[in-house]
Amino acid sequence: QFSFQENGWGASLAERLVRKCDVVNRGLSGYNTRWAKLILPRLINKSTSADSTVAVTIFFGANDSALKDLNPKQHVPLEEYAANLKSMIQYLKSVDITEDRIILITPPPLQESAWEKECLAKGDKLNRRNATTGEYAQACVQVARDCGTDVLDLWTLMQKNQDFSSYLSDGLHLSTKGNSFLAAQLWSRLEKKLSALPSLLPYWRDVDHANPEASLL
């Protein structure tokens, strides 16, 4: 949901793709795969032209991996999380969005000390663990392998040889730097798919001003 905020990764992709294709945000803050699986047919259905869908990203796990005893509302067991991802992929294929157009994104790592401050400020205990989030990220990668989709393993990439805290604004959600990192990683996977897309309508200098109909209709 936050991907279209200022400096968000969705907004960044939309800017790169102006006059080529629309980036549609169907993110829902706080949701998990159990709920997303139920509402996916409302978000993408057969009336959504599969022919014009270049890519679909599925980005869940940060909420599913919340600790059951401290956050039972958002928590989804690991095996169910994997099954829900597979179910969403199968649904998309049923409306003719093939696996080569689906990109799974793992949850990012959790910076526990920063997130604990956020929890304590609300009178709660630390309700997530980075190691647990990592198990969900691994499950997401395995689902992608099993189903033949692409996957962006944020959890691993953000922790590779570096302190990842600057990628997160509060230990859980992406910072401006984290959004930029995700946008760049995603673009590297999308660029080949999208580079061949034609621009919508000619550049203004190429319009025949004496006879605009000839250029525009």
Side-chain angles (χ1 to χ4, degrees):
Q1 180 176 323
F2 301 143
S3 70
F4 269 56
Q5 289 183 336
E6 188 175 4
N7 301 315
W9 63 272
S12 175
L13 287 177
E15 185 178 11
R16 285 178 188 249
L17 291 168
V18 161
R19 290 177 63 172
K20 288 211 164 186
C21 68
D22 296 324
V23 179
V24 181
N25 180 3
R26 290 292 180 266
L28 295 151
S29 174
Y31 274 50
N32 57 30
T33 56
R34 183 181 291 163
W35 305 344
K37 181 182 75 168
L38 296 176
I39 61 167
L40 183 59
R42 198 187 311 174
L43 305 180
I44 300 175
N45 51 52
K46 284 193 182 290
S47 67
T48 311
S49 175
D51 293 340
S52 64
T53 301
V54 182
V56 175
T57 60
I58 301 176
F59 187 10
F60 285 97
N63 297 318
D64 296 68
S65 62
L67 303 177
K68 183 179 180 180
D69 54 337
L70 294 171
N71 189 347
K73 184 163 187 173
Q74 290 179 303
H75 169 80
V76 171
L78 185 62
E79 295 76 15
E80 185 189 340
Y81 167 73
N84 289 342
L85 289 177
K86 287 182 179 179
S87 176
M88 285 190 270
I89 292 167
Q90 290 303 318
Y91 170 75
L92 290 173
K93 289 171 68 176
S94 79
V95 294
D96 300 325
I97 295 173
T98 48
E99 57 266 39
D100 60 312
R101 287 182 281 171
I102 300 169
I103 303 173
L104 300 188
I105 306 174
T106 76
L110 180 81
Q111 217 284 317
E112 291 182 14
S113 59
W115 185 243
E116 186 171 26
K117 287 179 185 175
E118 297 288 323
C119 293
L120 291 172
K122 296 173 184 172
D124 299 324
K125 295 180 180 177
L126 178 65
N127 59 19
R128 288 166 168 80
R129 291 283 182 187
N130 190 37
T132 305
T133 304
E135 293 174 6
Y136 283 70
Q138 286 178 336
C140 181
V141 170
Q142 189 59 51
V143 167
R145 287 196 191 117
D146 293 344
C147 296
T149 71
D150 201 349
V151 63
L152 174 51
D153 185 359
L154 266 193
W155 191 85
T156 299
L157 287 169
M158 283 187 166
Q159 294 184 90
K160 209 169 186 176
N161 307 320
Q162 59 199 329
D163 171 20
F164 64 88
S165 59
S166 62
Y167 289 130
L168 304 165
S169 62
D170 54 8
L172 175 67
H173 300 97
L174 297 176
S175 63
T176 296
K177 185 178 177 183
N179 272 282
S180 179
F181 182 85
L182 172 49
Q185 292 291 329
L186 201 50
W187 184 249
S188 71
R189 287 159 171 76
L190 288 171
E191 195 169 10
K192 285 181 183 176
K193 297 176 189 285
L194 301 176
S195 58
L197 285 177
S199 286
L200 299 172
L201 298 171
Y203 181 51
W204 71 271
R205 290 187 187 277
D206 297 329
V207 175
D208 181 349
H209 69 282
N211 183 15
E213 290 86 355
S215 304
L216 302 175
L217 298 180

